Structures are given as structure tokens and as C-alpha cells.
Amino acid sequence: MENENILKGLNSAQREAVLAKDGAFVVVAGAGSGKTTVLSRRVANLIYDGVEPNQILLLTFTRASAKEMIERARRLHERAIDVTGGTFHSIAHRLVTENRTMLGFPEKLTILDPEDVKASFRKIAAEIGDKDENFPKAAALAKMHSFALNTGRDIEDIIADRHEDFIYATNFVTECREAYKKFKRERGLLDYDDLLVAWDKMLDHPEVAKKIRKMFRYVLVDEHQDSNFLQCSIIEKLGGPTPNVMVVGDPAQSIYGFRGSAPRTMFAFMEAWPGIKMINLEVNYRSTASILGVANAVDRSMRERFERQLKPVPNNFGTDPLLVKVPGIDDEASFIADEILEKKLNGVELHEQAVLVRSMTQARHVEAEFMSRKIPYRVVGGMKIVEAAHIKDLLSLARTVTNPMDEPAWIRVLTKARRIGDKKALKIFNAVRDAYQSGNDLSKVVIASAGKSEDIGDLVAARDAMALNIPPVEALSMAVERMKPIFELVYKEDWKTRQSDLKAVVDLADKHVDLAEFLSQVTLDYSVDKKSEGSPMDDSERPVTISTVHSAKGLEWDVVFIPSFIDGHIPSLFTRDIDGEEEERRVLYVAVTRPRKELVFVKRSLDREGRMVSPSRFEDIFLDMVVERKIGLERRPAGFEMGGLRASIDVFG
């Protein structure tokens, strides 16, 4: 019977979660406890129980996660391919675009990425503000605006709590926010936050909410500890008075407070509906018992937590974690490189080893050591594809085709041409806007308005190629070829290394039939690894990973090194209060739950300038669970003070 395959190999808690059907459920999924297995098998089981696949909504925090879970479910039931899955933003985008008339949006809509948002605030602030005053810059304005929306807090509260230096500019910030809303409305623009706000407001309308709940009868949410106030509001409204909602997450892994998420969301969800049931996944299938001892100790040190204890699978003991003390920063890098090479000789491949840091500044010395020894490595930074300048140039040009009223996109691409600055670009855009509203040829208007710019012909030719009624992969390929002379001038010696990125974007377009749909998806979902310049990559050998803890979330390796285990790194130097320190504990928890077999902390006595540093204040949490080692002679730099000597020296005499 098919259902037997769904339950095969599951422990009792996993079985309970998979078989759960109607009602509200919180699944507290400890690190390595098989939550992906649980979610994918529950999807398949719901379909076997007669639920239509397209009435199951699977919300995840990455497009890849949704794709993986649906594929796993499809292996158990072929109809799982029709499950609705994706990120909050991608599902919101579909709801908004397919119901744009009801929401009062124009036919052509563009999604602004974070850089476009900052550029828009920069323009608005320049128009509103007095340049003699120290008003917040565009990046701060965008951050405050987004944080207020995602946390449901008043902007005055956000400024007083997080940006107290700008309390005097509260009226200016409020005025900029209102102008930003008007700017978007007039040009058919939305940003990431607008998509969620629109979905949330749709669920406030009784008839619309009823239809959406009928559309999504069963809701599953992955990584719920990372949901912010706005996303939680959507989840609760999707459930309604008789919810069929299951959220899965681990409050100890809530490390995205800067996006408005907080571990409290998991606890608050328990209060959302009466009769809600909690299921605890405590068996860890990843790490050894000794590593889990450290993880449990970190978890117990947190103020607010679910009562649970990660347990290893039977007979998975492993070696005790190490806490290695070295004299200085060079000794630290040398030790890590030595250990990685030695472990490779003993059968642990390079790609099964990782160096995790709280801040990438604490990885530079390790990176330099790897380069000097020609150890292949990659630096994972989880950079969104639209953050790469040359890719953003290409996508902005495409956006001027799908929405000719997209001012930020026009300004960006026009200023890539020689002899065109911001003021002239705005003048050209105004001419384009008038021509578009009058139904005139935009290409002719751009050329006529640009004057003597040598590059405008190539830019217009690239845009015309994108406007052809051909598959987007072909249109983008032609556009890249026509933009090549401009790219070569703008990016000079970097151009050759950037070409492969553009090819990757063009290849992504092959999966789409419509340029507008491709642009929306690439803006919302696709990401690309950021690799360090100069990394001595050897295609014949998969590399060691250097990563921030935030980018390592969800990943695992056989061996994990945590260097610079000192105050100022873990916990961060910027930890301001108790809540900040709690988040740093959660960062540490994520780091120590990444290794399968070996965990190595490295601390040093001196900083880069030879000054004494303090060990991490978190060391005491698990000191009795690690083996301490000391490498090299501890150096104590001599002071320069000359005792009680009294002398009078006239330096300028």
C-alpha cells in the first residue's frame, strides 16, 4: 500500500506530524530532525486522503526548498506536482498580478528590488530635504520604511527604538514615506513589502478572504521562526476561524531579527487558536552525541525556549568537540589550514569541511592562508542575483520594456551611456514618459533626447531586441551582445569575469515563456553564490567552504571550524542589549548544529594589532563538554612605558 512508503523509517513524532490532517499544529523541529522529510510526506499523505493538490499551499523561505519538498512528495504521489509551493513573496506576486484590477493596479507592474527602493528614496529625499541638514540617507530611509511595514509598528516607534539619532527628522521620514507611496502608485511600481501588504489586505476583505481560504484549504509553513509580523498576520488570516495550518520551525534558529523576524513568532502562534497541538521533533539525524551535547547546552542557555532535548540516533557518539587556543591571528589561520589538509589525508574531503564566521571580516586571514597554500575554497555569501551590478543593468533594461514607466530602471540604464548623468537621464525619461502616454516610438525619442552620447545607439538596439516577440532567452541573448561595447567600457578589466554571470541569467530565462514573468521570478527567487576574487579554484577538486553562519543555515558538513571565538565576534561587537545577546546565542546554536562529526572552536590571545582579546563570554556554556588544546607559545606584548623616568624633551625645539 502506498501509505506504507510514506511512513517508512519515521520515528513516532514524525509519524504524528505526517498523519496530522485537520486543525492547527506547531511542529518544533530541532536541527537535523528531518523537517523536510516530514513536510514532503505530509503533502503526499494529504493527497492520499483525498485533498486536491492545488488546494495545498506550501510556504517556504527559498524557491529551492519548495521545489525540493514538492519533488520528494511527487516520488510518493505523482499528483504532488500540482501542489502550490513557493516563497511568501512569489505566492503574493501571483495573487497580486492575477487580481490586479480588483486591487486597482495598472496592467503593467514592476517589482522593485532593494537597490531600486534605495534609488527611489534617494531621489525623493533630494526633492524634499534641505541639503544643509543631516537627514537620514536613502539606505536608512528604505530600512526604516521596510522594518515598520514588516513589524507592524509605527514609524515614530521604529525611529525612537532603533534610529534615535534621527528623532529630530521624524517628520522628514514620514513625508518621504508618503512621497514614496505616491511615486510607486503613479509609475505602476511595487516593492517586495507591497506584495505582502497587498496579500494581507486581501485577507481583510471578507469575500476575498473566503475565496482565498477555499483556494488554499491546507497551509504548511516551513522555517516559521523566520516569519515576521506581516507574514504571521497572513498565516493566521489564511487559517481563519477553522484553521488547517501547520507551521514548522525552531525558535533557537531565529537569526534574522534585522528583517523583523523573532523567535516569539513560534510562541505567539501557540496562542492563535484554541486547541492547537504541538509536536516535538527531537531526534537529530545529523550530528554525533557529543556535538548535540554542546547544542543542547546552548539551547538551554536561552531565556525563552520550548522544553526539548535533541537526541542522537543510537550509537552515534563521535569525538568530543575541541576548543583550541592559539597565540595570534596568523597562528589561527595556519592551524585551521593544517587541520583541513591533515583531515583530507585521513579521508575527509575538502568539500566536507567548512569555516563558519559571524562576520566575514573574521575570515579574511583564513582566506589569505588558503590562497597562499593553494587550498581550493569558496566563499558563500548568498548574494541575490539582482545585486550584481552588471546583471542589474541587463534586468533594468528589460524592465523598461515590460513597464516603460519604470523610472528607476530607465535612470540606471541611461547613465551607463557616456555623456549621460542623472539629470540628463531624468530629462530623457520625462520625454519617454510623454511619448509612451501619447503612443509614440520610444526608441526614436531616446535617441533624439540623448544628444551626442556615443553609446545610446547600442543601448536602444539592445532594448529593441528585448521588445521582439521571441522567447525571452533569445531576446536577452541578443541584448547582451548589443550591450557588449557598453559593458566593456563600464566594467573594463572585470568584463571577462562578468560575462559568465550574464550567460547564467540568460540560461535561466530558458525556463520562461514571457519576459515580464521571468523578471518577476528572477527578482523574487533566484540567487547566485558569491565567490571570492582570486580563489585558486581547481575544477578537479571540490573546495572548502568559508561562510557566514547566516548563509550556512540549512547546510551541513562533516567538519566545522569556528574561528575567532572571542568577544566582539561571537557575540558580535554590535550587541547592544539582552535581546541582541539572545540573538547571538541563536547564531551560535545554528553554527554548532552544522557539523555531522567534528566541531572545532578556535580562539586566540591577540588581535591583528597584537593587543590582548577576551575569550567569548559564551565559552562557559559548554566548557565542560569540550577538549581544550593549546597551540604555540602565548605571547604577551611588552609595554613601552619607561617606569618612573622623568625627562623634559622639546620635540619642536
Side-chain angles (χ1 to χ4, degrees), residues 252 289-303 305 308-310 321 582 585-586 588-589 592-593 599 601 618-626:
S290 52
I291 291 173
L292 293 181
V294 172
N296 285 325
V298 176
D299 186 22
R300 286 193 300 271
S301 75
M302 298 179 195
R303 281 182 304 156
R305 57 186 291 270
R308 48 87 182 269
Q309 176 94 352
L310 289 178
E582 279 295 289
R585 289 174 192 269
R586 296 193 294 272
L588 177 60
Y589 178 84
V592 301
T593 53
L599 173 61
F601 297 94
F618 295 159
E619 186 180 294
D620 289 340
I621 293 172
F622 52 79
L623 197 56
D624 59 340
M625 300 176 184
V626 299

Side-chain angles (χ1 to χ4, degrees), residues 39 78 83 153 205 231 287-288 326 342-343 422 503-504 552 559 610 623 648:
L39 282 169
E78 60 182 12
V83 167
R153 294 165 63 184
H205 189 286
Q231 290 163 332
S287 304
T288 63
V326 296
E342 184 175 340
K343 290 182 190 304
D422 288 340
K503 184 180 183 305
V559 182
L623 197 56
S648 179

Side-chain angles (χ1 to χ4, degrees), residues 369-630:
E369 184 72 13
F370 285 0
M371 290 180 71
S372 69
R373 299 205 197 186
K374 294 185 168 46
I375 299 173
Y377 69 93
R378 65 171 186 155
V379 176
V380 178
M383 185 175 70
K384 289 291 282 185
I385 202 165
V386 291
E387 292 174 0
H390 51 304
I391 295 172
K392 189 166 167 57
D393 295 339
L394 180 68
L395 299 182
S396 293
L397 186 64
R399 282 167 39 192
T400 69
V401 174
T402 59
N403 180 7
M405 295 287 284
D406 189 339
E407 181 181 326
W410 275 107
I411 300 299
R412 182 179 184 90
V413 297
L414 288 168
T415 52
K416 290 294 176 287
R418 283 172 288 182
R419 299 174 185 259
I420 297 181
D422 288 340
K423 287 185 179 178
K424 191 167 186 178
L426 183 58
K427 182 180 176 183
I428 297 170
F429 168 74
N430 289 334
V432 166
R433 181 186 58 199
D434 294 342
Y436 176 63
Q437 292 171 342
S438 305
N440 295 328
D441 188 314
L442 301 190
S443 295
K444 289 181 180 178
V445 170
V446 172
I447 290 172
S449 305
K452 297 180 180 179
S453 173
E454 301 93 326
D455 304 318
I456 206 66
D458 291 325
L459 195 151
V460 167
R463 185 180 183 277
D464 288 345
M466 287 187 181
L468 295 173
N469 188 25
I470 57 177
V473 65
E474 296 177 26
L476 287 166
S477 184
M478 291 171 62
V480 169
E481 192 59 35
R482 285 164 172 73
M483 282 283 284
K484 190 176 177 181
I486 297 175
F487 281 139
E488 287 177 332
L489 280 170
V490 171
Y491 297 109
K492 299 181 175 64
E493 64 274 6
D494 277 352
W495 167 236
K496 286 186 178 179
T497 61
R498 293 174 186 257
Q499 278 181 292
S500 59
D501 293 342
L502 287 167
K503 184 180 183 305
V505 174
V506 172
D507 289 344
L508 288 175
D510 197 24
K511 302 173 185 176
H512 302 267
V513 294
D514 176 74
L515 186 62
E517 185 258 345
F518 165 68
L519 283 173
S520 296
Q521 290 303 313
V522 81
T523 303
L524 292 170
D525 290 331
Y526 289 122
S527 63
V528 66
D529 275 353
K530 182 181 180 183
K531 290 193 176 113
S532 174
E533 296 287 336
S535 173
M537 297 292 290
D538 179 355
D539 291 338
S540 66
E541 186 157 29
R542 292 162 68 188
V544 179
T545 296
I546 300 177
S547 174
T548 62
V549 178
H550 286 82
S551 295
K553 198 161 175 279
L555 303 177
E556 58 186 71
W557 296 268
D558 280 351
V559 182
V560 166
F561 295 88
I562 301 177
S564 302
F565 193 58
I566 55 176
D567 261 1
H569 177 226
I570 300 177
S572 167
L573 179 66
F574 303 105
T575 303
R576 299 187 306 172
D577 52 25
I578 294 174
D579 288 338
E581 183 163 310
E582 279 295 289
E583 177 144 347
E584 293 299 305
R585 289 174 192 269
R586 296 193 294 272
V587 169
L588 177 60
Y589 178 84
V590 171
V592 301
T593 53
R594 297 310 96 200
R596 302 185 195 102
K597 299 177 181 177
E598 295 184 57
L599 173 61
V600 183
F601 297 94
V602 190
K603 65 176 181 178
R604 45 192 163 80
S605 305
L606 308 174
D607 66 10
R608 283 182 171 81
E609 284 72 44
R611 295 171 300 207
M612 298 293 293
V613 294
S614 300
S616 171
R617 74 192 80 156
F618 295 159
E619 186 180 294
D620 289 340
I621 293 172
F622 52 79
L623 197 56
D624 59 340
M625 300 176 184
V626 299
V627 174
E628 294 187 75
R629 282 175 56 188
K630 193 172 180 181

